[in-house]
Amino acid sequence: MDTFVVSARKYRPLGFDEVVGQEHITTTLKNAIDNNKLAQALLFCGPRGVGKTTCARIVARLINGFEEKAEVNSLNIFELDAASNNSVEDIRSLIDQVRYPPQFGKYKVYIIDEVHMLSNAAFNAFLKTLEEPPSYAIFILATTEKHKVIPTILSRCQIFDFNRIQVSDISRQLKKIADREGIAAEEEALHLIAQKADGALRDGLSIFDLMVTFSANHKVTFSDVLNNLHILDYDYYFKMVDGLLSENTSGPLLLLDEILKKGFDGQNFITGLGEHLRNLLVSQDARTVNLMEVPESVKQKYLVQAQAAPPSLLLSWLSIASTCDINYKASRNQRLLVELALMKMAYVNSAVKASSNSSAEAGLKKKLN
């Protein structure tokens, strides 16, 4: 049996043109290398799974003049995991290696991952070498928590801030990989995986592998992703809002009961409802429609439902949902809290109308008197 290689490793970018969603970083690095203006100490910051180590390896290959698609040459590239090698002795060992020039190639590249895990003593031992490295040494530090790196290290590095990858970019990359692997994947399914990845392409690829393993016929469907990732379908929120617009509490309460019986958490539901109401609000204006990170087919549903929901009503509902979310953890009867929020939403329009009518009547009586 062939050894299975996860997609995150199999499709790890080998050149800057393959890096997803970090054009501001790749363009700067490529220009620096082409113009021979690359700093000797670089700090790559950003969330997990966005391409920090990948870009570090690409830089190491290019500055040594290796082919862009070639494999890493381990004799010129040294990788240190600072999470498990964070002592002064580990850094001193690295400094000892730096003293010897490369046997071939132009540069020795030292990639230190999770650099924020180094102890203060290790950081201090590293300062002098980082400030005045030999001409053949390049240090690339990577971290998910820049605020934990001491200022004296930050001041010696050229800092690159990696972005969270957009849902559309992750979805597009998953589609490319699905096509190359001969896997039939629904657009809505890939979009949902991309949303669940939370800006990390590596997480998205891991979820994609899980979905492919689950499907026996090499098909990734929207319903399979919903079931496996335990995500509430968009349709539930559309039905909930339709019920609330009818100002009838029975439908929304029965729908909530169905959702809870499926094992979904009340707070997840109310958070999702808040997101749904926010999407309805941005659907009110053509200029803000693209702020929704949903598939095109779902976007059309939002545009239709948004026409029936006035912005003032949506804002009132959002306020109720937000209050419910804040108080959820402290509540002794969490289900009742969510049900009460839904009942308030159902009757908020009637309450506003009743209040307006009362005010009008009071004003009329005052005039008559």
Side-chain angles (χ1 to χ4, degrees):
M1 186 176 73
D2 292 337
T3 304
F4 173 71
V5 180
V6 296
S7 296
R9 285 183 57 201
K10 187 175 182 180
Y11 293 101
R12 182 189 283 273
L14 296 173
F16 284 136
D17 56 322
E18 297 175 16
V19 176
V20 177
Q22 307 295 348
E23 287 77 14
H24 64 297
I25 301 283
T26 55
T27 302
T28 305
L29 289 173
K30 193 172 188 307
N31 289 343
I33 293 168
D34 290 344
N35 298 317
N36 198 26
K37 291 184 177 179
L38 188 70
Q40 285 190 266
L42 311 174
L43 178 64
F44 290 174
C45 317
R48 69 185 190 281
V50 295
K52 298 185 296 296
T53 305
T54 294
C55 284
R57 291 178 179 177
I58 294 170
V59 168
R61 279 196 296 271
L62 292 182
I63 62 176
N64 276 302
F66 300 143
E67 287 296 320
E68 192 164 320
K69 307 297 181 187
E71 288 298 315
V72 175
N73 191 307
S74 57
L75 294 178
N76 280 60
I77 300 169
F78 303 86
E79 293 194 25
L80 179 73
D81 176 25
S84 53
N85 300 280
N86 55 10
S87 67
V88 176
E89 288 72 23
D90 294 315
I91 292 299
R92 282 177 181 161
S93 174
L94 183 145
I95 292 168
D96 287 339
Q97 291 181 34
V98 173
R99 292 175 184 159
Y100 303 101
Q103 298 301 305
F104 58 90
K106 298 178 184 177
Y107 298 96
K108 290 172 80 173
V109 182
Y110 296 87
I111 301 170
I112 305 178
D113 215 353
E114 301 298 339
V115 72
H116 64 273
M117 299 288 283
L118 288 177
S119 65
N120 274 335
F123 271 131
N124 291 328
F126 194 31
L127 284 176
K128 190 64 178 175
T129 304
L130 197 64
E131 186 174 17
E132 297 177 359
S135 59
Y136 51 79
I138 302 286
F139 293 98
I140 305 178
L141 318 180
T143 179
T144 52
E145 300 183 56
K146 183 171 74 171
H147 61 280
K148 290 186 179 179
V149 179
I150 62 174
T152 45
I153 292 287
L154 293 176
S155 65
R156 287 164 169 78
C157 297
Q158 198 171 76
I159 300 172
F160 292 84
D161 288 302
F162 283 67
N163 294 332
R164 282 163 47 109
I165 303 174
Q166 296 293 315
V167 170
S168 55
D169 290 335
I170 296 177
S171 182
R172 204 176 299 117
Q173 183 69 6
L174 293 176
K175 176 64 177 168
K176 286 181 187 176
I177 292 172
D179 291 342
R180 287 177 67 174
E181 293 288 327
I183 295 164
E186 295 178 2
E187 182 192 345
E188 290 84 358
L190 296 180
H191 204 281
L192 199 56
I193 292 171
Q195 279 186 310
K196 195 70 174 176
D198 195 28
L201 180 57
R202 186 172 61 223
D203 290 9
L205 291 170
S206 298
I207 298 170
F208 176 75
D209 286 344
L210 179 67
M211 294 301 106
V212 172
T213 306
F214 172 78
S215 62
N217 53 0
H218 264 56
K219 286 183 73 176
V220 177
T221 64
F222 182 67
S223 59
D224 284 346
V225 175
L226 281 175
N227 294 332
N228 274 273
L229 300 183
H230 202 60
I231 299 171
L232 199 55
D233 194 351
Y234 294 111
D235 285 342
Y236 277 104
Y237 296 116
F238 283 110
K239 288 177 187 174
M240 184 64 72
V241 169
D242 285 339
L244 294 172
L245 286 170
S246 68
E247 299 186 7
N248 181 356
T249 57
S250 302
L253 290 179
L254 289 170
L255 193 58
L256 174 66
D257 182 62
E258 183 184 335
I259 290 166
L260 296 178
K261 281 180 177 176
K262 287 193 170 188
F264 289 97
D265 179 62
Q267 189 166 27
N268 286 345
F269 161 73
I270 207 73
T271 303
L273 181 60
E275 179 69 18
H276 183 85
L277 296 173
R278 175 260 183 194
N279 285 343
L280 287 174
L281 265 174
V282 300
S283 301
Q284 305 275 339
D285 191 326
R287 293 171 298 178
T288 56
V289 166
N290 289 329
L291 294 177
M292 287 190 292
E293 293 184 331
V294 295
E296 196 60 39
S297 57
V298 179
K299 193 177 286 185
Q300 296 307 315
K301 290 183 181 179
Y302 274 113
L303 292 173
V304 171
Q305 192 171 67
Q307 293 174 0
S312 57
L313 181 62
L314 291 173
L315 281 169
S316 298
W317 286 356
L318 260 174
S319 177
I320 294 168
S322 177
T323 303
C324 179
D325 186 27
I326 291 167
N327 296 329
Y328 189 87
K329 283 284 196 311
S331 175
R332 291 189 177 183
N333 192 337
Q334 294 172 334
R335 176 171 180 151
L336 178 61
L337 185 71
V338 178
E339 288 176 337
L340 186 60
L342 293 177
M343 286 187 274
K344 284 180 181 177
M345 290 180 193
Y347 290 122
V348 70
N349 213 17
S350 301
V352 169
K353 286 177 184 175
S355 177
S356 298
N357 291 337
S358 299
S359 299
E361 287 175 13
L364 185 60
K365 284 178 182 178
K366 195 172 181 180
K367 283 181 181 179
L368 292 173
N369 293 333

